[in-house]
Amino acid sequence: MADKASILKLTDVKYRWPGQTSFGISIPAFDLKVGETVLLLGESGSGKSTLLSLICGTVSADRGAISVSGTDIASLSAGQRDRFRAEQIGLIFQQFNLLPYASVLDNILLPLQFSPDRRKRVASVKEEAETLCQNLGLPDNVMNVRAGTLSVGQQQRVAAARALIGTPPLLIADEPTSALDAATQKTFLQLLFAQSRAHNTTLLMVSHDARLADQFDRVVQMSDITKTERENT
């Protein structure tokens, strides 16, 4: 059987934060295959957030190549990167980043406003949103409820539905279970994996919690793919 294609590939990437000329990170090589689930583990300050920013194109590497779905994001302008990110990447933030006074439906549909191509993959946006909510275990009457009135666990599932709608090929989750108890955490991950498998979506989840490791196809330590860069090294 042929090896699966890579959805994400980083090669010889180096980055230094502006104003931090004596410190940075180097990523010699890192890749994700289509459809796999990967847990990226690392302590605070290990560079996890920097790596996600590089993958999403919100910051640009000083050198090296970052390819998402076969496109080198360094070749895109800032505006093109924003549109490309909305099209190719679903994001689940640690703090969810929902619009608290907007309805659940409006929150879920938000990415489609920034990506016409992603919108075209949805036959009926309301029906897909309802299906995602149902599959993620949300109440039937949740669509018109203000997001800010939901429980933490429910808000997390709305954030997942927002990331999944329009089936982006790459899903990135940044510490999405840190505020949940163990039982809710396990349920959420099971639902997230089920949705990822249904659409062959690649999942990269960032965490510091090694107890999650046995639930993923692959576990990567941040220290294994990055090294600290200091002046003259």
Side-chain angles (χ1 to χ4, degrees), residues 5-10 29-33 36 38 218 220:
S6 295
I7 186 77
L8 169 70
K9 190 169 186 177
L10 282 72
F30 179 59
D31 75 286
L32 299 177
K33 302 300 184 184
E36 74 172 335
V38 176
R218 183 159 59 104
V220 176

Side-chain angles (χ1 to χ4, degrees), residues 86-90 112 115-125 128 163-170 199:
E87 167 67 22
Q88 297 292 326
I89 303 175
L112 304 185
S115 176
D117 288 341
R118 187 167 162 181
R119 168 64 181 83
K120 291 175 184 177
R121 294 200 294 263
V122 183
S124 169
V125 292
E128 177 158 337
L164 288 162
I165 196 164
T167 60
L170 176 60
H199 300 288

Side-chain angles (χ1 to χ4, degrees), residues 76-102:
L76 305 177
S77 68
Q80 288 172 330
R81 285 198 303 272
D82 289 341
R83 291 189 293 273
F84 183 79
R85 179 171 57 252
E87 167 67 22
Q88 297 292 326
I89 303 175
L91 293 165
I92 306 177
F93 301 95
Q94 183 174 2
Q95 302 300 325
F96 312 146
N97 289 8
L98 299 179
L99 303 176
Y101 296 104

